[in-house]
Amino acid sequence: MSLWNLVSHMPPEEFSSLSTEFPRSLRCLLAEWLENQPWEFINGSDAFCTSMASRMLSDMLEKLRSAASTDGQQCQILQQVSNIESTFRRDPLRLVAVVRAVLEGEKAAVLKRDHHLPLSFHRQQEELKFSLGLQRLQHRVREIQALQEEGPGRDGAVQSPMAPRELPTLILEAVKELEVAKQQVLKRIQIWKRQQQLAGNGATFEENLAPLQKRCENLVEVYFQLQQQVMAASTELGPELLPRLMERFNEVLSSLVKSSFLVEKQPPQVLKTQTKFQASVRFLLGPRLLKAAPKPYMVRADMVTEKQARELELSNYSNTLSESTGEILHNMVQLETNPTSGNCCANFKNVLLKKIKRCERKGSESVTEEKCAVLFSTNVTLTPSNVSIHLQVLSLPIVVIVHGNQDNNAKATVLWDNAFSDIDRVPFVVAERVPWDKMCDTLNGKFKAEVQTTKGLLKDHYFFLAQKIFNDHSASPEDFQSRHVSWAQFNKEILPGRGFTFWQWFDGVLDLTKRCLKSYWSDRLIMGFISKQYVCKLLSMQPDGTFLLRFSDSEIGGVTIAYVMRGKDGSSQVENIQPFSAKDLSIRSLGDRIRDLGQLRNLYPNIPKDQAFGSHYNKEQTGKDGRGYVSTAIKMTVESERDQQPPGTMGAPPEAPQAPMFNLPMLQHELHPDNLQPLLAPMCPPTPFCPQPMPTGYPPVESSIMMVPDRLTPPFHSPSPMLSPPSLSHCQDPAFRTPGPFMPSQFLPGEVSQLLPAGPSAEPQDEEMPELPPFQLVEEASLQSPPPWMSPSMDQPSAAELDQLLEVPPLPPFAPLQQHSGYPNSSLSSWGLGDARWDDSIRPGHA
């Protein structure tokens, strides 16, 4: 965005003082053209500045006359053009000063309002400054050449009308300007590298290196022209000045050549061993300076530690690497020049890090905080001087992992380093504490980049995040602006009452939103980052059925629905439905779940849910499919809804009378195996397989499991499934923990890891079944000693009594388990699709 785009929407009265010598109507006609001229950088009054001012005046008059021919007020514009020409023709430098004052006033007004200028404006100004410096340097070369051709002490045609200057003085000024131009090029390269690093966190990045390569090539051309003039004036310079000048020339060329060797495509910053990756390096001055060689130039890639990278940086990359810290396969690639594109690159396409050698870590530093880098190096020969030079460049910091569960913490290290490192730091030093407002910008950029949305975080979101990371619920939003957040608070310290760090929780929200909630977030349907307490405050005064969506505060990667309902006494009560994970939303989308719940009516503050989420509903299939089957649908319900509605109101036929149901108690921590034995005795004797006490966190739940056909005519009732008695061998088998009518899916071994505070446990191992004695017939058993599961004091039963004992009566359907938590539990109504879960606040990966 140009400066004029901002200024044109501001009140003209603010710029009335700037329009005395340069009318605002002309400023409007010239618009962006005026900003694309180097008015601010012409500060002198020498011949070069005067000639530049005269040329810019002529260009302005031509631009105005062209605009007047297409404007309705042609006469008025031509009159103003005539006034400009008569006023500034004799003193074009005065026009430069007037226009510079106008632009300075406009920048001050924009800074006062917005506190910053557009990034594109800064880039344009930097480009103008370099371009003007290069033109000044070319002017100096022409002055030196004219002075040498006409002899010392005589004014050349292009010299200023000031007193003649000696040749050595003029050459020294030109060399100084060359060094200034070199610094501008090196600074621009550093800015490009820094922007490339910020792009790792999702910032916008202009990857095109063509403008930067052209800038380097133009400066090298002027370099050789000036060097030729200096060598021609070696007699006038003398034996003392000439060597010093040549040393300065060599330093300029060496800096340009080494700095123009760049990593164009960075390797992954979180790199897993035994995984292939790609990277590429580019030599900007290769097409101009690289000498043809009988053998191709080869670029080598090596892994280096932070200590080795620091030593290379301190030696200005003059030392060579003594030992690689990791073994990289396919690490030698040819440096090639493409004559069509004019690029000189080495592309690493199938590189593989086979293994890594860890270095000693500092204090409590973990392996995911250890930073490495890839060093790309080559030896080339330059033309026309035939000088050999060793080129080296480091990649961005890399965290090497060996297992996927290290990825989350490794990303935190990379995010912190990319966001808060200095542009000219010693590798890989980064601040330990940073301002909270910079952290907010980083989180916002990362969120938008990962989710791929233009809707970022809001001030209320920042306030909630600050309360969470600082564990301070009494401070105001303004108080947090002056605070600093540490790396430990970001990803080392466990959040109070949780089993995970701030970053682990935030990254879970990123992953969930990216995978399942992108469209909802982009439509601003998710309030998201808001505390449960603040939700209660918002909803308690709203009509019954008002709801909102927020990210779970107590678990990683969960979104929950909070809604208000009226109790039996008429008081409002805010309920939070058990959070949905990405797995839940892959079974049934968030929009369809909201449609299923009849108690949800209006999205906060007062938007009908069908109006808000109608575009997110999936069309449900009706009738029969191609094979003649009646279509079915998955519906979500919550306990409170089913309690309030009679059985026939949910679209299903009335249930048939059922036999009395027995309740298997939920495995609470206050229950013991001894309490369960009277109930489990009819099914199996006491063996090691019987469930042990397990803590849960959910309230009583009616886990209805039923099909919901779209059309059923006439209504029918299926018989209730009965529990079949397990055999003795099944009771003794430790692997008898399978889902089905006998036992709920909560008892699966794979879910036990969720109870461990330190994360997922190892994979359950198969156990050998203990050998059992051959099964004896009843007649034989009655004649032998009592079996081992009978008390010695018991009389041996007769065969008829034993048959009666072994006969298990039919049992009613499995009764729902009672759960307890702060959320009403939701369930999907369909046989085989109910996915009961433990408390997700202690899911794998939370520790």
Side-chain angles (χ1 to χ4, degrees):
M1 181 180 292
S2 67
L3 183 64
W4 175 248
N5 286 338
L6 299 175
V7 171
S8 59
H9 294 87
M10 299 175 70
E13 296 78 17
E14 296 187 25
F15 310 98
S16 57
S17 60
L18 304 177
S19 306
T20 54
E21 294 186 273
F22 195 82
R24 186 172 176 82
S25 58
L26 298 185
R27 173 69 178 98
C28 180
L29 287 175
L30 295 173
E32 297 181 11
W33 180 89
L34 203 68
E35 303 166 26
N36 296 333
Q37 309 303 316
W39 309 97
E40 300 182 45
F41 307 109
I42 300 178
N43 299 315
S45 57
D46 57 3
F48 171 74
C49 292
T50 303
S51 63
M52 284 296 299
S54 299
R55 183 179 63 81
M56 291 163 65
L57 173 60
S58 300
D59 293 344
M60 177 188 290
L61 296 175
E62 182 179 354
K63 183 78 174 176
L64 290 173
R65 291 189 180 101
S66 175
S69 61
T70 59
D71 194 276
Q73 300 178 345
Q74 182 178 6
C75 295
Q76 182 180 356
I77 294 175
L78 292 177
Q79 180 63 39
Q80 292 175 338
V81 170
S82 178
N83 294 338
I84 291 290
E85 184 175 12
S86 60
T87 303
F88 300 110
R89 175 61 71 182
R90 294 185 178 181
D91 189 4
L93 290 175
R94 184 184 168 195
L95 174 65
V96 172
V98 169
V99 176
R100 182 166 59 236
V102 171
L103 295 176
E104 291 289 345
E106 292 178 349
K107 288 194 300 182
V110 173
L111 285 172
K112 183 179 179 180
R113 188 191 68 175
D114 300 338
H115 306 290
H116 66 86
L117 294 172
L119 181 60
S120 58
F121 179 79
H122 286 293
R123 291 177 178 173
Q124 180 65 29
Q125 293 298 299
E126 192 272 338
E127 183 68 30
L128 290 173
K129 183 178 180 180
F130 174 78
S131 177
L132 183 67
L134 196 62
Q135 293 180 55
R136 181 186 293 273
L137 190 55
Q138 292 171 335
H139 181 81
R140 291 283 183 262
V141 172
R142 291 194 296 270
E143 282 187 326
I144 295 173
Q145 184 177 1
L147 191 60
Q148 287 180 329
E149 291 176 353
E150 298 181 10
R154 296 174 57 186
D155 291 342
V158 295
Q159 272 192 298
S160 67
M162 302 172 62
R165 291 170 294 177
E166 296 183 357
L167 184 60
T169 303
L170 195 59
I171 291 177
L172 286 173
E173 290 180 1
V175 173
K176 183 178 180 180
E177 291 172 357
L178 176 67
E179 292 172 335
V180 170
K182 179 209 69 173
Q183 290 297 329
Q184 291 178 350
V185 171
L186 298 187
K187 182 180 179 181
R188 187 67 190 87
I189 291 175
Q190 290 293 334
I191 292 174
W192 185 90
K193 289 182 176 181
R194 179 59 180 153
Q195 291 173 343
Q196 185 187 49
Q197 185 175 18
L198 291 174
N201 287 355
T204 56
F205 173 51
E206 181 58 47
E207 301 181 66
N208 185 17
L209 280 170
L212 194 54
Q213 176 172 324
K214 186 167 184 62
R215 179 181 293 197
C216 292
E217 291 174 345
N218 290 339
L219 184 58
V220 167
E221 290 294 333
V222 177
Y223 165 87
F224 284 119
Q225 294 174 10
L226 182 58
Q227 185 187 45
Q228 183 179 1
Q229 296 299 326
V230 170
M231 295 301 297
S234 57
T235 304
E236 290 83 352
L237 294 175
E240 295 183 0
L241 182 58
L242 181 61
R244 295 202 304 268
L245 288 176
M246 296 309 299
E247 183 179 351
R248 292 169 67 177
F249 270 101
N250 293 336
E251 195 279 329
V252 168
L253 183 61
S254 177
S255 299
L256 287 174
V257 169
K258 291 181 178 180
S259 299
S260 65
F261 190 56
L262 303 172
V263 182
E264 185 174 24
K265 181 180 179 181
Q266 293 285 344
Q269 288 192 263
V270 177
L271 183 59
K272 187 178 178 182
T273 55
Q274 302 296 330
T275 303
K276 291 183 178 181
F277 65 93
Q278 297 182 351
S280 66
V281 294
R282 182 167 170 179
F283 185 25
L284 299 182
L285 288 175
R288 173 64 178 81
L289 297 180
L290 206 59
K291 182 180 180 180
K295 292 184 179 180
Y297 299 109
M298 303 298 293
V299 180
R300 179 185 176 93
D302 293 287
M303 189 67 67
V304 296
T305 63
E306 182 175 346
K307 180 181 178 181
Q308 291 174 315
R310 187 176 295 115
E311 292 173 350
L312 288 170
E313 176 76 17
L314 294 177
S315 68
N316 199 22
Y317 296 98
S318 58
N319 297 340
T320 56
L321 182 65
S322 58
E323 179 185 6
S324 178
T325 190
E327 182 180 351
I328 301 180
L329 303 182
H330 313 297
N331 66 331
M332 296 287 289
V333 173
Q334 182 177 344
L335 183 64
E336 300 176 312
T337 300
N338 187 331
T340 304
S341 63
N343 299 337
C344 182
C345 300
N347 297 311
F348 294 81
K349 297 182 179 179
N350 294 298
V351 194
L352 185 140
L353 178 61
K354 187 175 182 181
K355 60 183 180 180
I356 186 69
K357 180 181 178 182
R358 299 288 186 185
C359 61
E360 295 183 2
R361 294 184 292 277
K362 301 172 289 186
S364 60
E365 187 180 60
S366 65
V367 293
T368 55
E369 296 176 77
E370 179 183 338
K371 288 176 276 191
C372 306
V374 177
L375 175 68
F376 299 95
S377 58
T378 185
N379 290 300
V380 297
T381 302
L382 305 181
T383 185
S385 56
N386 292 331
V387 175
S388 295
I389 189 169
H390 183 66
L391 302 179
Q392 297 182 110
V393 64
L394 283 172
S395 72
L396 291 174
I398 294 173
V399 178
V400 178
I401 61 175
V402 297
H403 195 277
N405 60 12
Q406 298 173 318
D407 182 75
N408 181 276
N409 292 325
K411 287 194 297 184
T413 301
V414 170
L415 179 76
W416 187 278
D417 189 273
N418 287 346
F420 307 121
S421 59
D422 294 329
I423 195 169
D424 54 351
R425 64 168 175 176
V426 175
F428 294 110
V429 178
V430 66
E432 192 69 21
R433 300 176 66 85
V434 297
W436 171 243
D437 57 347
K438 288 188 176 181
M439 173 59 72
C440 291
D441 293 339
T442 300
L443 295 177
N444 183 47
K446 184 68 174 178
F447 190 94
K448 292 195 294 184
E450 286 289 325
V451 180
Q452 295 182 349
T453 178
T454 58
K455 303 299 176 60
L457 306 182
L458 306 175
K459 290 184 178 180
D460 291 339
H461 298 153
Y462 295 142
F463 182 46
F464 168 76
L465 295 175
Q467 290 178 323
K468 193 173 187 70
I469 198 170
F470 292 113
N471 189 29
D472 187 351
H473 298 274
S474 60
S476 65
E478 292 74 19
D479 296 335
F480 289 122
Q481 295 301 317
S482 59
R483 294 196 184 183
H484 285 66
V485 61
S486 67
W487 161 251
Q489 291 171 314
F490 182 68
N491 195 49
K492 286 186 74 73
E493 298 174 355
I494 302 299
L495 293 175
R498 306 289 182 240
F500 43 80
T501 65
F502 174 85
W503 165 253
Q504 290 169 349
W505 171 83
F506 187 83
D507 188 52
V509 170
L510 279 181
D511 184 68
L512 175 70
T513 309
K514 175 176 62 177
R515 294 167 59 185
C516 306
L517 305 175
K518 175 183 175 180
S519 58
Y520 301 91
W521 176 269
S522 299
D523 292 343
R524 289 299 188 196
L525 301 177
I526 300 177
M527 190 166 290
F529 300 99
I530 182 174
S531 66
K532 185 184 293 186
Q533 294 77 12
Y534 191 55
V535 166
C536 292
K537 181 180 178 181
L538 290 179
L539 295 181
S540 59
M541 303 301 295
Q542 297 297 319
D544 194 14
T546 303
F547 69 98
L548 58 80
L549 306 174
R550 69 176 187 88
F551 297 122
S552 174
D553 187 40
S554 60
E555 70 168 69
I556 291 179
V559 62
T560 182
I561 304 174
Y563 66 97
V564 63
M565 59 179 293
R566 299 286 176 248
K568 295 181 179 180
D569 58 352
S571 62
S572 64
Q573 180 180 353
V574 177
E575 295 284 359
N576 290 270
I577 297 177
Q578 176 180 313
F580 309 123
S581 65
K583 178 182 177 182
D584 299 327
L585 299 179
S586 67
I587 297 174
R588 187 157 180 80
S589 69
L590 180 62
D592 291 341
R593 289 173 183 265
I594 292 174
R595 177 173 55 180
D596 293 340
L597 301 180
Q599 64 267 56
L600 305 183
R601 300 172 186 172
N602 295 317
L603 178 67
Y604 180 87
N606 189 25
I607 307 174
K609 74 173 184 180
D610 291 337
Q611 175 183 337
F613 293 92
S615 61
H616 300 276
Y617 294 160
N618 292 316
K619 184 178 180 181
E620 296 193 349
Q621 185 177 357
T622 58
K624 295 183 179 181
D625 61 11
R627 298 172 297 173
Y629 290 114
V630 177
S631 301
T632 61
I634 301 174
K635 301 289 185 182
M636 189 189 80
T637 58
V638 294
E639 178 184 5
S640 58
E641 180 184 27
R642 293 195 296 268
D643 290 344
Q644 294 172 4
Q645 295 182 356
T649 60
M650 297 184 63
E655 297 182 359
Q658 295 182 351
M661 302 176 68
F662 80 94
N663 289 329
L664 179 63
M666 188 59 186
L667 303 184
Q668 303 281 358
H669 61 276
E670 67 270 9
L671 297 179
H672 302 281
D674 296 338
N675 306 119
L676 303 177
Q677 189 59 35
L679 292 172
L680 297 178
M683 291 181 284
C684 62
T687 57
F689 101 94
C690 290
Q692 298 300 313
M694 297 182 184
T696 85
Y698 294 120
V701 54
E702 182 183 344
S703 181
S704 66
I705 305 176
M706 61 184 178
M707 276 294 191
V708 184
D710 288 307
R711 295 181 181 177
L712 283 179
T713 56
F716 64 88
H717 307 286
S718 59
S720 302
M722 307 302 292
L723 294 177
S724 58
S727 65
L728 181 62
S729 62
H730 284 171
C731 293
Q732 291 180 341
D733 184 6
F736 184 60
R737 302 183 184 182
T738 59
F742 173 72
M743 186 172 292
S745 60
Q746 286 97 324
F747 303 147
L748 289 176
E751 298 288 343
V752 176
S753 64
Q754 300 183 8
L755 304 175
L756 301 179
S761 61
E763 291 291 335
Q765 303 296 325
D766 295 335
E767 302 178 13
E768 293 187 4
M769 183 184 300
E771 295 185 4
L772 301 177
F775 186 77
Q776 298 172 334
L777 299 177
V778 175
E779 290 79 359
E780 296 175 353
S782 63
L783 301 177
Q784 297 179 3
S785 58
W789 48 271
M790 291 182 60
S791 172
S793 61
M794 296 174 61
D795 295 333
Q796 298 186 23
S798 64
E801 292 173 338
L802 188 59
D803 289 338
Q804 184 179 3
L805 177 64
L806 293 176
E807 182 179 358
V808 181
L811 298 176
F814 178 70
L817 299 180
Q818 303 297 320
Q819 299 185 8
H820 301 279
S821 80
Y823 300 111
N825 192 32
S826 62
S827 63
L828 294 178
S829 302
S830 178
W831 277 110
L833 292 178
D835 187 17
R837 295 163 34 179
W838 293 104
D839 187 356
D840 284 339
S841 64
I842 41 180
R843 291 170 51 194
H846 283 213

